[in-house]
Amino acid sequence: TPLRYVLPFNEQNRYLVMPALSDELNIVGLKTVSFAPENSKKGKATITGSVILSDYETGETLSILDGGFLTKVRTGAISGVATKYLAKENAKTLSVIGAGVQAEGLIEAILAVRDIENIHIASRTFEKAENFAQNIRNRFNIKVSVFKSADEAIDSADIVVTATNASQPVYTHSLHPGVHLNAVGSFKPDMQEIPSETMLVANKIVVESMEAALEETGDLKIPQAEGILTKNMLHSELGDIISGEKVGRETEEEVTVFKSVGLAIVDIIVAQYFYKKLKEKDVPAETLFYDGSHHLHHQYQFHLNKPESKENIKRVLLFLSRNTSSSGVERNNQSNHNENNNLNKDVQLDPFSE
């Protein structure tokens, strides 16, 4: 997975191009994302895009999938895997900073790996946070509280998620001992979603890819420039923890941070997963090409609006755990297979079996 190419347009907007392939899994594809921060004022999604899956042998296009939806699934799932290995087993309170589509996917994934009892929500727009909170209450039948500030929302949290488009840190509160943070919003060198001080209090800082994280996100580049963070302070890549080469959480008091910038290879893996499941269902070829607004998108999105969605997202967690390595190239060796068989033994159903 090479570093993403970013093309600015229309002042604040960005067009991101991310090719990826795996010779081991015989897959190749391309993810494109448009980031338009002003879209929220127009009632439109700030992140849109597509994932093109190609035939490894012939190069022919196999499918074009909704990049926004895949990003929601992938971002949530990879952070769910990180939470599985880095958060306290008895975590009960989740704090989410941000009230967009990505935040919804993150909540769903974390609920799949921890028995959360309380969710705290904070967002720049209080009304949006209130509406988002009600949606989460309705979907998951869980207690949700809305706070006017991020500092208040994270004060008593066991797990914190930041999923915003902010260019400046969204909180100033120092993370308490035992907290795990998933930071997913910053994907540009000038975007710093979490304060530099977080890097000083963290006992373990985990990333998807060392190279991508240190080049592409202000959450790490800015503390580096300030002399607060060095590469040696990064504990490991997430794949190394999944494979057992590195350890995850070791004590109840550790502060752990997972910084995600997104790797296109993970999107391509998930795209292939969807594609294979659709083919198994004998879906007509022409319906494999869709933009997320058609009926197919609503039929085949792991039934995310149904009560069974907690089980469905677990299957994506398992799939990513089995196939995503530390370098963004997938592992399929037997030791990794055995390790991940223990991730969640009760998940055995097909995602499209309902």
Side-chain angles (χ1 to χ4, degrees):
T1 303
L3 295 177
R4 62 168 62 101
Y5 180 77
V6 181
L7 181 67
F9 70 100
N10 196 22
E11 296 183 0
Q12 297 185 62
N13 295 352
R14 298 291 185 271
Y15 188 68
L16 288 70
V17 181
M18 297 161 277
L21 65 84
S22 168
D23 292 318
E24 187 173 344
L25 290 183
N26 294 341
I27 58 173
V28 60
L30 174 72
K31 181 180 182 182
T32 64
V33 170
S34 294
F35 172 64
E38 296 299 309
N39 276 7
S40 58
K41 298 177 182 179
K42 305 172 185 177
K44 296 178 178 291
T46 58
I47 297 176
T48 58
S50 61
V51 175
I52 301 173
L53 185 65
S54 299
D55 187 282
Y56 186 80
E57 296 296 329
T58 68
E60 296 171 297
T61 299
L62 295 176
S63 63
I64 302 174
L65 299 97
D66 179 15
F69 174 69
L70 279 184
T71 298
K72 173 184 174 180
V73 173
R74 183 265 295 154
T75 302
I78 204 75
S79 295
V81 173
T83 301
K84 168 74 179 180
Y85 288 95
L86 295 172
K88 294 188 296 186
E89 290 285 347
N90 62 349
K92 298 299 180 186
T93 300
L94 166 65
S95 175
V96 180
I97 313 305
V101 173
Q102 301 304 317
E104 186 176 12
L106 287 154
I107 289 173
E108 186 155 26
I110 290 170
L111 292 180
V113 297
R114 288 295 183 269
D115 294 323
I116 299 297
E117 297 177 355
N118 304 289
I119 298 178
H120 296 174
I121 304 290
S123 182
R124 182 174 54 183
T125 306
F126 189 77
E127 182 180 1
K128 184 178 180 181
E130 286 276 20
N131 293 336
F132 180 74
Q134 189 57 51
N135 177 46
I136 297 302
R137 291 187 194 103
N138 293 340
R139 287 192 58 195
F140 301 107
N141 191 29
I142 193 170
K143 181 180 178 182
V144 183
S145 303
V146 179
F147 293 80
K148 292 185 177 180
S149 76
D151 283 346
E152 291 179 305
I154 72 173
D155 188 51
S156 60
D158 300 305
I159 300 170
V160 176
V161 169
T162 56
T164 73
N165 295 326
S167 295
Q168 302 293 325
V170 295
Y171 66 87
T172 61
H173 198 301
S174 184
L175 297 180
H176 294 310
V179 167
H180 169 64
L181 167 68
N182 291 313
V184 306
S186 168
F187 61 90
K188 297 189 298 178
D190 61 348
M191 292 176 71
Q192 187 183 20
E193 188 182 41
I194 60 177
S196 298
E197 186 260 358
T198 294
M199 301 302 159
L200 293 176
V201 301
N203 300 103
K204 288 187 173 77
I205 303 169
V206 178
V207 296
E208 292 153 308
S209 161
M210 293 282 188
E211 181 185 18
L214 291 170
E215 287 293 327
E216 295 178 353
T217 172
D219 282 340
L220 300 184
K221 286 186 73 70
I222 293 173
Q224 267 191 303
E226 294 170 342
I228 291 174
L229 178 71
T230 65
K231 182 177 181 180
N232 292 336
M233 292 171 63
L234 301 185
H235 174 65
S236 73
E237 296 178 339
L238 181 60
D240 291 329
I241 295 176
I242 294 170
S243 67
E245 295 175 35
K246 295 283 187 176
V247 295
R249 174 173 288 273
E250 295 178 275
T251 73
E252 290 288 298
E253 299 301 307
E254 280 185 311
V255 173
T256 55
V257 173
F258 173 61
K259 175 55 205 169
S260 172
V261 294
L263 290 175
I265 189 63
V266 181
D267 294 272
I268 304 307
I269 292 172
V270 176
Q272 184 196 42
Y273 183 74
F274 276 108
Y275 176 75
K276 285 185 174 180
K277 290 300 176 182
L278 290 170
K279 293 293 286 183
E280 289 172 8
K281 290 293 180 180
D282 294 323
V283 178
E286 63 270 14
T287 64
L288 294 176
F289 294 83
Y290 68 102
D291 64 5
S293 61
H294 300 154
H295 70 281
L296 181 66
H297 177 70
H298 299 293
Q299 279 184 317
Y300 293 99
Q301 53 176 270
F302 281 147
H303 304 297
L304 290 178
N305 294 318
K306 293 186 177 182
E308 300 91 338
S309 61
K310 182 174 180 179
E311 293 303 311
N312 290 326
I313 201 71
K314 283 182 181 179
R315 298 171 193 130
V316 180
L317 298 180
L318 270 174
F319 184 76
L320 289 180
S321 290
R322 288 173 178 168
N323 290 284
T324 306
S325 78
S326 59
S327 62
V329 179
E330 303 68 35
R331 306 170 191 267
N332 284 308
N333 58 56
Q334 188 61 42
S335 62
N336 193 37
H337 176 77
N338 292 339
E339 169 73 18
N340 289 292
N341 277 345
N342 296 322
L343 179 62
N344 200 327
K345 293 182 178 179
D346 62 342
V347 181
Q348 300 174 356
L349 300 177
D350 178 83
F352 295 96
S353 61
E354 285 84 359

